[in-house]
Amino acid sequence: PHPTHMEQECLNNGFHKVIKGFGETALLEYLTGQKIELKSLDDIPFPDRNALPIKEYYYPINDLLSTPVMTSRGCPYSCSFCATMQAQYELNSVDYVINELDYIHQTYKYKAFMLQDDLFAINEKRILEIANKLDGKYIFRGNTRANLTNARIIKIFKKLNIVELGIGIESGSEKILKENLKKTSPKINTEAINLLQDNGIRVKAFIIIGLPGETHKTVQETINWLEETKPYDIDIACFQPYPGSAIF
């Protein structure tokens, strides 16, 4: 979202035009001079996957080559370090999602998919409907939040064949999570990971070192949390303030 929040910086550094916000209709509007309105995400065609050598991108899920899809846009949460273009959470319809997955499978032979939604797990009813219609024919990796994790939704995840989930843990420190508006806690995070991994769903914990308020003590709390909780995989990044985030 950098051009959306820092358009003048882009223009000052060699760009002739900048699109602010989502760009599905902007280029066509610029070329035709006509206003184009999208009533829903379903109005956007499937991405042109022939435009990229998608088979050269290697991300296996259970030894199956996978490819990314997105079934929603936006996030209703407001973590201090996250740069978003909208707080509104929009969803593709269940039929749109099923049709796109089937199209990718029929055209490119993929049976494994990375759900790249910021927050796939927010609508349990929708996930269950997708799971019921797919009836186990694909496998998935996705993203969720610890505070949305419970036995009920895990049962739905299993039905959908989700085998791995990424969770933005960020820190093992209660202080850091509170100051950065995560609306979780180390206890909630631990319970979520244990519940998922006890039910056979691998968890990748995303960690950010250096968030506002970080000290040697809070870093050690994160190290201790990782050693105690033992997520299947971890991804550790250094904090970088993004334009558009609350703490930029």
Side-chain angles (χ1 to χ4, degrees):
H2 192 96
T4 296
H5 302 294
M6 303 289 284
E7 69 275 14
Q8 195 57 51
E9 180 184 71
C10 295
L11 293 170
N12 291 344
N13 284 274
F15 291 89
H16 299 292
K17 298 290 181 181
V18 172
I19 293 173
K20 296 186 65 173
F22 298 108
E24 292 90 359
T25 63
L27 181 59
L28 191 57
E29 289 179 356
Y30 174 70
L31 293 173
T32 65
Q34 298 178 347
K35 180 67 175 176
I36 301 170
E37 292 188 11
L38 298 176
K39 294 181 180 178
S40 75
L41 290 185
D42 286 5
D43 291 338
I44 302 172
F46 300 156
D48 179 10
R49 292 177 170 85
N50 287 327
L52 293 170
I54 61 173
K55 291 295 180 78
E56 295 181 15
Y57 292 85
Y58 183 71
Y59 191 101
I61 302 175
N62 286 13
D63 296 324
L64 292 175
L65 189 64
S66 69
T67 195
V69 294
M70 288 191 71
T71 76
S72 65
R73 185 158 70 184
C75 178
Y77 289 86
S78 54
C79 302
S80 67
F81 50 85
C82 187
T84 61
M85 291 191 288
Q86 65 175 31
Q88 181 183 358
Y89 188 68
E90 299 178 279
L91 301 166
N92 284 114
S93 68
V94 169
D95 286 341
Y96 184 101
V97 174
I98 300 297
N99 289 338
E100 183 172 13
L101 293 171
D102 286 343
Y103 168 78
I104 296 170
H105 172 60
Q106 292 162 10
T107 307
Y108 305 101
K109 311 307 178 187
Y110 284 100
K111 294 188 69 175
F113 297 93
M114 294 180 287
L115 298 166
Q116 298 288 65
D117 307 42
D118 287 336
L119 193 52
F120 179 74
I122 199 167
N123 189 315
E124 291 185 16
K125 181 180 178 182
R126 175 175 177 266
I127 302 171
L128 180 58
E129 191 174 346
I130 292 171
N132 286 335
K133 290 194 173 187
L134 287 177
D135 196 26
K137 65 177 162 178
Y138 307 128
I139 64 171
F140 297 93
R141 181 206 185 276
N143 298 304
T144 189
R145 282 180 61 95
N147 60 301
L148 298 178
T149 303
N150 53 58
R152 182 180 62 254
I153 199 167
I154 287 177
K155 187 175 180 180
I156 299 172
F157 288 157
K158 297 285 286 184
K159 186 175 181 63
L160 184 58
N161 269 354
I162 290 181
V163 298
E164 182 179 321
L165 284 167
I167 299 180
I169 299 298
E170 323 310 354
S171 176
S173 165
E174 183 99 39
K175 170 181 175 288
I176 295 299
L177 295 177
K178 185 174 181 180
E179 288 186 12
N180 289 279
L181 311 179
K182 271 298 294 187
K183 297 186 178 179
T184 60
S185 68
K187 181 176 184 292
I188 290 172
N189 291 336
T190 298
E191 290 173 349
I193 288 181
N194 288 342
L195 193 56
L196 287 163
Q197 296 194 154
D198 287 348
N199 281 275
I201 297 176
R202 302 185 296 270
V203 176
K204 184 172 188 174
F206 291 91
I207 303 293
I208 301 176
I209 299 296
L211 284 166
E214 191 87 276
T215 64
H216 290 293
K217 179 177 181 293
T218 60
V219 171
Q220 187 60 53
E221 288 174 340
T222 299
I223 294 170
N224 295 343
W225 182 88
L226 287 168
E227 290 176 342
E228 293 166 5
T229 309
K230 295 180 173 60
Y232 175 82
D233 194 8
I234 59 174
D235 184 296
I236 300 177
C238 293
F239 169 64
Q240 171 69 45
Y242 289 126
S245 65
I247 55 179
F248 180 71

